[in-house]
Amino acid sequence: IYNILLTLFYYGCTILFVHSEPIILLKRAIGFREEEYYSFNKYKQFIHRGITCETCSSFWLTWIFSGSFFLAVLVSLFAFLLDKLP
């Protein structure tokens, strides 16, 4: 049950990271504007996808903050499944 609560916690943190207005303004300030995506080089596109995709962000944020690879995979799988719901 502890892993389930941690999964929900880290998924919630990921949603805030990807969709909250201050973070979006910060991303736009450092040059990650979605409307300019196709003018980016391939490295900047890779980074942009990594910080705007819920599955990718949930994996990296969980792994960085918890230090557990298993929990990071679990949270990213949870994010992927919720993303595929209609």
Side-chain angles (χ1 to χ4, degrees):
I1 191 143
Y2 181 69
N3 280 340
I4 294 171
L5 292 176
L6 279 177
T7 300
L8 293 175
F9 171 74
Y10 284 118
Y11 180 70
C13 291
T14 301
I15 294 299
L16 287 175
F17 176 76
V18 173
H19 296 294
S20 71
E21 191 65 30
I23 300 295
I24 290 173
L25 291 175
L26 179 65
K27 290 181 215 175
R28 293 178 68 80
I30 61 174
F32 288 110
R33 292 175 178 82
E34 292 183 18
E35 57 271 8
E36 298 174 357
Y37 177 76
Y38 292 106
S39 66
F40 296 162
N41 62 24
K42 64 181 177 179
Y43 301 110
K44 196 169 180 180
Q45 284 180 353
F46 179 76
I47 293 169
H48 184 269
R49 283 193 306 263
I51 62 175
T52 57
C53 168
E54 290 178 9
T55 306
C56 303
S57 294
S58 64
F59 175 78
W60 290 112
L61 288 175
T62 305
W63 198 11
I64 289 169
F65 290 122
S66 73
S68 170
F69 181 77
F70 174 74
L71 186 60
V73 170
L74 188 66
V75 172
S76 64
L77 179 64
F78 183 70
F80 175 76
L81 292 175
L82 284 181
D83 188 44
K84 295 299 177 186
L85 285 176

